[in-house]
Amino acid sequence: MIQSILFLLLLIAGFGFFGYQLKSIIQNIKLGRPEDRSDRPGERWKNMILVAFGQQKMFKRPIPALLHLAIYVAFIITQIELVEIIVDGISGSHRIFRPLLGGFYTFTISFIEILSVLAFVATLAFLIRRNLLKLPRFHMDEMTGWPKLDGNIILYLEIMLIIFIFMMNGGDEALYNMAKTHTVGAAGEAGSFGFSISKILGPALFGGMSEASLHIIERIGWWGHILVVFTFLNYLPISKHFHIMLAFPNTYFARLEPAGELTSPQNIQEEIKAIFDPSYQPAEDPNAPNRFGAKDVTDLSWKSLLDAYTCTECGRCSSVCPANLTGKKLSPRKVMMDTRDRMQEIQQFKLKPDDTGMMVPGNGVEGAEEAAKNTLLGEKYITEEELRACTTCNACVEACPVMINPVDIIVELRRYLVMEESSMPEEWASMSNNIENNGAPWAFPAADRFNWANEE
Amino acid sequence: MQVPVMADMAAQEKKPEYLFWVGCAGSYDARYQRVSRAFVKILNHVGVDYAVLGPEETCNGDPAKRAGNEFLFQMQAIQNIETMNMYEVKKIITACPHCFNTLKNEYPALGGNYEVIHHSTFLQELIDAGKVNLKGGGSFKGKKITFHDSCYLGRANGIYEAPRKVLEALDADLAEMKRCRTKGLCCGAGGAQMFKEAENGKKEINVERAEEALETGAKIIAAGCPFCMTMMTDGVKHFEKEEEVQVLDLAEMVAEDLE
């Protein structure tokens, strides 16, 4: 009874706080500019099924893909067990599905146990790879401090989840062997659940222990597991690991146009129309942006912001980026991390955009004045030098397992620099002049354009 | 060299099937002018009904757009769309993947709708249709060639096989680089990088790429893009291999072997 009440309170608090955190994230994504991504649902579902459910893009690197697949499938299938744990927790029963499902129950738990062992091996492999092997993409400048710790915390939590589940199942098996199980419909019986791993592991580890010790082990396993589940759930929204949820909507809403096609912002089209036709009346759009290009996260599309929350900092983008590979400052992963960090900063300091699109501090939040002075484009986050190095080659877009597009953000920030601040390298300024005056990026007269045909 | 011009054709009330979009590099860059001439040689040889805009052509706006100057891009685009629509252009062929991408993908939003074909696809189709017959054996037969994927042809538009098919038709010995097709490495010139110095780093991108190309042992690095052509040529020079290794465009190779 007390256990049930305790569990119910935990359940409400756990999901309640998760819901609250989810709402904050949705609020942050809504900081972005509107963009319609509702067309071609068929293609979108296909992307989601292949890329998110099917892990298609992970398989460009088969070994990590298989390890990742083990954790992913284990995670999905374990949700069945989680349902039972929740029902048991509320009702005060134990293994309530077992009498209902019979042999299928044994099969399901056995399957979960095998997946859990695979996930355990994969998690250890990932810990080793992250911390002992010197994989360059896990040791770039942006991967120190919190991002490094975050990557490890998730893996530790996964290890704990698996250890607890085997404590529970193993302890239970040992109790069943002694005819002391409290499982629904099996109390007093002596035998085995027949779970693939714990029928061996349970007696091997816990055989010969007293009934009281076994009960404690089993309960530590049960409570430990569910406590880690709630911790995990509420840790996700502040972690890169949130990709396990956002990968699905993110692949659904991914760009369907060819990668080479950059957007043609409507507000610029309106301006150009007015230049070519002075009688043209630009459409009155209340949502029209205050500026050309993007200076802060509020100038980016909501999809770019969803991208940022979906990024799991795996660094596959940066490891194929030609600029990054040759030692330049640009790292597409950092672009995504900076975008997320800036959104978090806006939320933390309750900043609000004013009429001109500048951020103003919320009332009474300490440090808000300073935070309001920052923008996504600037010394704290993405610098001009990083932006300048991008070749728009789309290698990062191709490499991302969850269809994130860093090029969209880079180009929007470049647009702001060039069109609002007239800030560009001198060579780009003369390139622009040449195009304007001669119709070519080089300083050749337009009249010579056809000379090539005169030579043999 | 006989190159029909749209304005002349219009004066004769002719509407050629194709516009050959030459591009700025194809018009002004001494090296890529040779590619334009090679491609025209093929078009003339096959008897393709085409014309160029000649002096009426102007930059499509790709480098401006990618540098962030959307204003200038749209000014250029609208100007070009007006010219092309005036001549009722329906199909465009171009030897520049940047022109190809922009005309194909970015002009429709501004009112320019054309069927745009990159010359590698066009050459492959001519070969497949049996319209281009190569001299017995050909001068590239059995030669070790590596193809450098242009980002704006490959990842940007999914064209990986057409240029390789052309090389196969030349009976060349195609050697792939470690990073090819979807994983291809940029030459370093896209995104308007062609027109400025690279940011500080520990290496130039084209040097990295040329090194990879040279590692295949190929005697010819095939390209299908003026920027890649320049960058790979410079990369080969960096390793002082310009005597042994040539950088050639697909059109030049086909033109050389025409029957």
Side-chain angles (χ1 to χ4, degrees):
Chain A
M1 191 61 189
I2 295 173
Q3 280 206 31
S4 288
I5 293 169
L6 210 62
F7 180 80
L8 203 64
L9 289 175
L10 193 70
L11 188 75
I12 293 166
F15 277 102
F17 190 58
F18 176 70
Y20 167 78
Q21 293 198 78
L22 206 60
K23 211 180 117 198
S24 308
I25 287 177
I26 292 170
Q27 236 170 29
N28 266 352
I29 292 170
K30 282 184 172 168
L31 286 173
R33 302 207 45 74
E35 189 186 347
D36 186 16
R37 292 272 173 113
S38 63
D39 59 328
R40 292 179 270 176
E43 278 175 66
R44 297 188 178 283
W45 280 109
K46 194 178 148 203
N47 266 345
M48 187 167 104
I49 288 165
L50 284 178
V51 180
F53 275 107
Q55 312 270 293
Q56 188 189 41
K57 290 200 146 201
M58 284 298 289
F59 276 89
K60 289 190 168 174
R61 298 184 191 195
I63 294 169
L66 285 171
L67 296 171
H68 182 268
L69 187 71
I71 297 177
Y72 163 74
V73 177
F75 168 77
I76 299 270
I77 307 286
T78 317
Q79 302 314 311
I80 303 171
E81 198 179 22
L82 191 66
V83 173
E84 185 184 47
I85 288 180
I86 290 172
V87 177
D88 281 345
I90 297 168
S91 64
S93 56
H94 190 57
R95 299 193 186 275
I96 196 161
F97 292 165
R98 186 168 173 267
L100 299 171
L101 299 175
F104 184 65
Y105 183 83
T106 312
F107 169 78
T108 307
I109 302 291
S110 293
F111 188 52
I112 291 173
E113 286 199 338
I114 292 167
L115 287 171
S116 301
V117 172
L118 292 175
F120 189 77
V121 173
T123 308
L124 285 182
F126 281 160
L127 273 170
I128 291 168
R129 192 174 64 139
R130 212 166 248 282
N131 297 290
L132 300 179
L133 304 181
K134 291 285 168 228
L135 230 67
R137 66 191 165 104
F138 292 131
H139 298 276
M140 288 179 194
D141 288 346
E142 67 266 24
M143 293 312 286
T144 53
W146 167 246
K148 183 177 161 65
L149 182 66
D150 182 27
N152 283 324
I153 287 175
I154 283 292
L155 294 170
Y156 297 143
L157 288 175
E158 274 166 21
I159 296 266
M160 284 166 76
L161 279 173
I162 297 167
I163 289 175
F164 281 131
I165 208 75
F166 280 114
M167 273 179 83
M168 174 178 115
N169 286 357
D172 232 5
E173 278 282 5
L175 282 167
Y176 203 170
N177 292 166
M178 293 164 67
K180 299 292 183 194
T181 181
H182 59 299
T183 299
V184 178
E189 279 176 27
S192 163
F193 291 105
F195 297 155
S196 55
I197 307 291
S198 53
K199 76 175 173 201
I200 306 157
L201 205 63
L205 288 176
F206 313 125
M209 284 188 179
S210 71
E211 186 194 343
S213 313
L214 286 174
H215 267 298
I216 292 169
I217 286 171
E218 190 274 335
R219 282 292 93 185
I220 290 177
W222 192 91
W223 278 102
H225 186 78
I226 195 69
L227 281 170
V228 177
V229 166
F230 285 133
T231 309
F232 197 92
L233 184 71
N234 282 287
Y235 178 69
L236 284 183
I238 60 160
S239 160
K240 75 183 191 76
H241 210 60
F242 204 42
H243 82 283
I244 64 173
M245 295 188 174
L246 292 188
F248 299 93
N250 204 61
T251 48
Y252 183 86
F253 291 117
R255 267 177 79 91
L256 299 175
E257 287 72 31
E261 179 184 344
L262 298 183
T263 56
S264 292
Q266 198 58 44
N267 61 337
I268 298 168
Q269 288 193 36
E270 294 290 322
E271 295 277 335
I272 298 282
K273 279 180 196 158
I275 291 171
F276 276 91
D277 175 10
S279 67
Y280 179 77
Q281 288 295 322
E284 285 290 328
D285 180 5
N287 290 321
N290 302 306
R291 47 173 80 111
F292 299 125
K295 184 186 188 185
D296 213 339
V297 290
T298 44
D299 305 319
L300 295 171
S301 154
W302 65 270
K303 180 53 176 58
S304 292
L305 304 187
L306 177 64
D307 274 355
Y309 272 115
T310 309
C311 175
T312 197
E313 299 166 14
C314 71
R316 290 182 180 213
C317 51
S318 297
S319 74
V320 296
C321 171
N324 193 285
L325 278 169
T326 52
K328 292 154 187 84
K329 283 244 164 66
L330 176 65
S331 163
R333 167 171 57 189
K334 181 178 169 291
V335 170
M336 304 320 299
M337 291 165 74
D338 284 342
T339 304
R340 174 165 53 192
D341 290 350
R342 174 59 180 160
M343 281 190 280
Q344 299 287 66
E345 185 178 53
I346 287 175
Q347 193 151 62
Q348 186 192 341
F349 294 102
K350 295 191 167 45
L351 306 180
K352 292 255 178 333
D354 67 8
D355 293 343
T356 64
M358 292 302 291
M359 286 292 164
V360 289
N363 293 331
V365 185
E366 202 177 324
E369 297 284 342
E370 286 307 304
K373 285 179 200 148
N374 294 328
T375 51
L376 180 62
L377 176 65
E379 282 313 305
K380 184 172 177 189
Y381 297 107
I382 306 170
T383 61
E384 213 171 316
E385 185 179 348
E386 293 164 62
L387 292 173
R388 292 293 179 235
C390 176
T391 67
T392 67
C393 74
N394 275 297
C396 55
V397 178
E398 177 69 36
C400 181
V402 288
M403 303 182 90
I404 289 170
N405 190 332
V407 179
D408 272 353
I409 299 180
I410 293 170
V411 169
E412 284 293 350
L413 295 172
R414 278 189 180 178
R415 283 176 179 163
Y416 173 81
L417 280 171
V418 170
M419 291 188 289
E420 295 273 359
E421 308 247 297
S422 294
S423 164
M424 63 193 108
E426 221 171 279
E427 303 112 302
W428 275 3
S430 41
M431 170 195 79
S432 286
N433 281 336
N434 288 330
I435 293 177
E436 260 184 89
N437 300 327
N438 315 324
W442 296 288
F444 296 117
D448 290 354
R449 184 172 269 273
F450 197 39
N451 289 357
W452 63 271
N454 298 333
E455 294 158 43
E456 243 345 288
Chain B
M1 171 163 262
Q2 276 301 333
V3 188
V5 179
M6 276 289 177
D8 300 340
M9 301 292 264
Q12 299 166 42
E13 295 187 1
K14 282 187 197 157
K15 280 179 204 151
E17 187 181 358
Y18 296 97
L19 166 67
F20 169 32
W21 182 275
V22 185
C24 300
S27 302
Y28 295 110
D29 179 88
R31 177 68 188 86
Y32 223 65
Q33 284 179 340
R34 274 157 52 195
V35 176
S36 302
R37 288 194 287 268
F39 190 56
V40 159
K41 187 179 161 194
I42 300 166
L43 294 177
N44 287 345
H45 175 86
V46 177
V48 174
D49 180 22
Y50 79 101
V52 299
L53 284 172
E56 283 185 284
E57 192 183 285
T58 160
C59 174
N60 70 79
D62 158 88
K65 188 175 180 91
R66 273 145 191 86
N69 199 341
E70 181 68 21
F71 249 100
L72 180 54
F73 163 73
Q74 291 196 15
M75 300 285 277
Q76 290 300 118
I78 286 172
Q79 203 180 324
N80 282 318
I81 290 168
E82 271 180 9
T83 311
M84 289 191 286
N85 288 354
M86 181 178 77
Y87 291 120
E88 295 176 48
V89 168
K90 300 276 182 297
K91 296 181 187 175
I92 306 172
I93 332 166
T94 177
C96 172
H98 293 266
C99 298
F100 166 73
N101 177 69
T102 302
L103 299 172
K104 175 177 176 283
N105 298 321
E106 288 165 355
Y107 275 29
L110 305 169
N113 293 288
Y114 318 101
E115 184 190 331
V116 191
I117 309 155
H118 183 252
H119 80 321
S120 59
T121 309
F122 195 74
L123 289 172
Q124 189 217 326
E125 283 168 3
L126 289 180
I127 292 168
D128 287 354
K131 288 182 183 163
V132 174
N133 293 309
L134 303 173
K135 271 184 288 200
S139 49
F140 298 98
K141 188 180 168 70
K143 269 205 181 157
K144 201 167 196 181
I145 297 179
T146 190
F147 177 70
H148 163 73
D149 284 285
S150 146
C151 307
Y152 272 84
L153 205 54
R155 273 190 301 270
N157 290 292
I159 298 175
Y160 299 106
E161 296 314 317
R164 290 179 167 80
K165 291 265 171 62
V166 173
L167 294 174
E168 270 171 34
L170 294 170
D171 214 1
D173 171 19
L174 184 61
E176 292 289 356
M177 286 181 252
K178 194 170 82 236
R179 286 175 283 205
C180 64
R181 294 193 169 86
T182 54
K183 291 178 185 161
L185 181 73
C186 178
C187 68
Q193 302 295 337
M194 183 72 189
F195 305 100
K196 70 168 185 54
E197 286 299 311
E199 270 51 45
N200 281 330
K202 51 183 199 291
K203 201 174 188 179
E204 295 299 335
I205 295 170
N206 65 329
V207 170
E208 170 89 9
R209 186 55 167 170
E211 192 173 11
E212 199 173 359
L214 294 172
E215 273 169 16
T216 64
K219 292 291 162 230
I220 294 166
I221 301 171
C225 169
F227 294 175
C228 298
M229 168 77 75
T230 303
M231 298 307 267
M232 296 308 279
T233 307
D234 286 353
V236 170
K237 276 188 196 140
H238 175 91
F239 291 103
E240 297 176 352
K241 294 275 185 193
E242 63 267 37
E243 298 294 323
E244 303 140 60
V245 179
Q246 280 179 290
V247 184
L248 292 174
D249 184 90
L250 296 165
E252 292 178 297
M253 296 165 77
V254 172
E256 192 174 321
D257 265 7
L258 281 181
E259 205 160 44

